[in-house]
Amino acid sequence: MSLPPRMRALPARKTAVLSALDIGTSKIVCLIARLDPVEAMEALRGRTHRCRILGIGHQRSAGLKGGVIVDLEAAEAAIRRAVDAAERMAGVQVESVIVNITGGRIGSQHYQASVRIGERAVAEADVHRVLEACAARTLEQGKAVLHSLPTGFALGDMRNVRDPKGMVCDNLAADMHIVSSDATAVRNLMLAVERCHLAVEAVVATPYAAGLAALVDDEVELGTTVIDMGGGTTSVGVFSGGSLVHVDALALGGNHVTMDIARGFNTRLADAERLKTLYGACIASVSDERETLAVTLAGEDGDQPMHVPKSQLVRIIRPRVEEILELVRDRLKKAGFPTSSASRFILTGGASQMTGMAEATKRILSGQIRLGRPLGIQGLPESAKSPSFSASVGLLVYPQAAKIEYFRPRRRGVEQANDTSGYFARVGQWLRESF
């Protein structure tokens, strides 16, 4: 499907510089990358996603809880520090960014619509007409559209048609997947970014971004569930038939494990985070009873730490991880995506790196499990090639995938944050006209 006619072409130039801002509960990451036109054109044809990192900045997050802004000034300061570090490394000034959102009750709605064609060949205008009918469906009050993804067409009784243009039918139907979030959460996220004198080019659902970075084409086609385990949230994205077909999010993540450790050992949060990062595990091993850990009690100076067996740490971590995974399983089942031995799961996010997470996931969700890392990006430092940066890198991939989305013309309000008439849609138009 070609881009809507309202798109304006970007003035011709050899390269495009993209900036992404991953605003998470535990960390904020700013990436600046250069998109090569030749490689980008291959991406638009569905072959690959490639760009080169010019600058990276990441800071401990502040002012967020459960993926939403709770302290505007603290969040603004953290964003400024991350962007400044990336700008210094890249030697460029960032003017606009793509940002992600995990909180705000992101979720999915599916809509269908049909139009009469009259036993003739489907024209491009007919495709836009049926997609417009889908997009015209009203969301519940207080929701903002993040993504509007056509997932398939039907020509009469013939379903799962990828591109109906040129085919003959009497009635043309379309299925559309709408990803939405609380409008208030989106507005406050944009406000925090705009207070840093940055324009918001697009707001992307975190599980969609993580999937764009960590999945290969066959996984998107065959059906795969991405579980992004962050600090304050765990988000889920289901990909099938080449499209994102479902998203969900839980307000539970790695920070809740840290809180459990701090309460269980009566230690400071910083010490609990260190214990989780260095020694945390989701499954028990035979050496856990023999291995001891030094734990400094809250309020103590650390000269006389308490020594506890590692098995006690595992007994604190394991129930919380199982709770998160069981909630993911139940939410998927309720949405019509029951797990089985044939299911595929990709784990991303910082909390997914905990020892034994894949084994715990397999025990609860079954299926095939692998750890997802960002793919196809040049210039990433070794420290950023981990699952915790999948969503960050996926934001750079998103402009190359945004061509499949459809938005109603002349949208107003917060939904304009993701309107494809923005800069990256013009990048796509420019690429098509230049090559």
Side-chain angles (χ1 to χ4, degrees), residues 254-265 267 269 272-273 276 316 320:
N255 289 351
H256 295 81
V257 176
T258 303
M259 291 288 291
D260 291 344
I261 296 171
R263 292 190 182 103
F265 288 149
T267 188
L269 286 173
E273 181 68 24
K276 182 187 74 173
I316 293 174
R320 179 65 80 176

Side-chain angles (χ1 to χ4, degrees), residues 118-129:
E119 292 297 340
R120 60 173 175 80
V122 176
E124 187 169 335
D126 299 318
V127 175
H128 287 301
R129 189 155 56 98

Side-chain angles (χ1 to χ4, degrees), residues 210 214 226-231 233-235 253-255 257 276 280 282 321 324-325 346-361 369-374 386-390:
V226 174
I227 303 175
D228 185 86
M229 309 183 78
T233 57
T234 297
S235 58
N255 289 351
V257 176
K276 182 187 74 173
C282 309
V321 170
I324 294 172
L325 294 173
I346 308 298
L347 300 177
T348 68
S352 70
Q353 300 174 89
M354 200 180 307
T355 302
M357 185 63 75
E359 291 81 355
T361 304
I369 316 293
R370 77 168 176 86
L371 207 58
R373 294 179 172 83
S386 69
S388 59
F389 284 84
S390 292

Side-chain angles (χ1 to χ4, degrees), residues 169-181:
C169 67
D170 187 37
N171 289 287
L172 174 66
D175 298 319
M176 183 169 285
H177 175 206
I178 302 293
V179 180
S180 64
S181 177

Side-chain angles (χ1 to χ4, degrees), residues 181-357:
S181 177
D182 285 344
T184 300
V186 177
R187 289 191 187 102
N188 286 320
L189 180 73
M190 294 176 60
L191 179 59
V193 175
E194 289 166 351
R195 281 171 57 130
C196 300
H197 306 289
L198 299 170
V200 176
E201 289 289 352
V203 180
V204 184
T206 294
Y208 189 23
L212 291 174
L215 295 178
V216 299
D217 291 345
D218 287 346
E219 289 174 327
V220 177
E221 189 67 33
L222 295 172
T224 304
T225 299
V226 174
I227 303 175
D228 185 86
M229 309 183 78
T233 57
T234 297
S235 58
V236 179
V238 181
F239 294 78
S240 182
S243 302
L244 176 71
V245 296
H246 178 70
V247 299
D248 202 352
L250 313 170
L252 289 172
N255 289 351
H256 295 81
V257 176
T258 303
M259 291 288 291
D260 291 344
I261 296 171
R263 292 190 182 103
F265 288 149
N266 189 28
T267 188
R268 296 178 303 171
L269 286 173
D271 292 331
E273 181 68 24
R274 181 183 62 85
L275 288 171
K276 182 187 74 173
T277 303
L278 297 179
Y279 309 108
C282 309
I283 56 173
S285 66
V286 294
S287 64
D288 287 347
E289 290 294 341
R290 299 192 301 269
E291 187 176 350
T292 61
L293 308 175
V295 179
T296 302
L297 298 178
E300 300 290 338
D301 56 12
D303 291 339
Q304 294 181 331
M306 174 180 65
H307 290 84
V308 298
K310 183 181 177 183
S311 60
Q312 190 171 340
L313 178 64
V314 176
R315 283 195 292 269
I316 293 174
I317 293 174
R318 182 172 176 173
R320 179 65 80 176
V321 170
E322 290 179 345
E323 177 193 12
I324 294 172
L325 294 173
E326 287 168 357
L327 283 170
V328 168
R329 178 195 62 195
D330 295 344
R331 297 278 279 268
L332 285 171
K333 183 179 179 180
K334 184 178 179 180
F337 301 97
T339 61
S340 68
S341 58
S343 303
R344 297 175 182 82
F345 296 95
I346 308 298
L347 300 177
T348 68
S352 70
Q353 300 174 89
M354 200 180 307
T355 302
M357 185 63 75

Side-chain angles (χ1 to χ4, degrees), residues 33 39 49-54 375-381 385:
E39 292 175 342
H49 301 298
R50 291 199 179 276
C51 55
R52 178 176 294 278
I53 301 296
L54 301 178
L375 305 172
I377 299 295
Q378 301 174 345
L380 270 181
K385 293 181 180 179

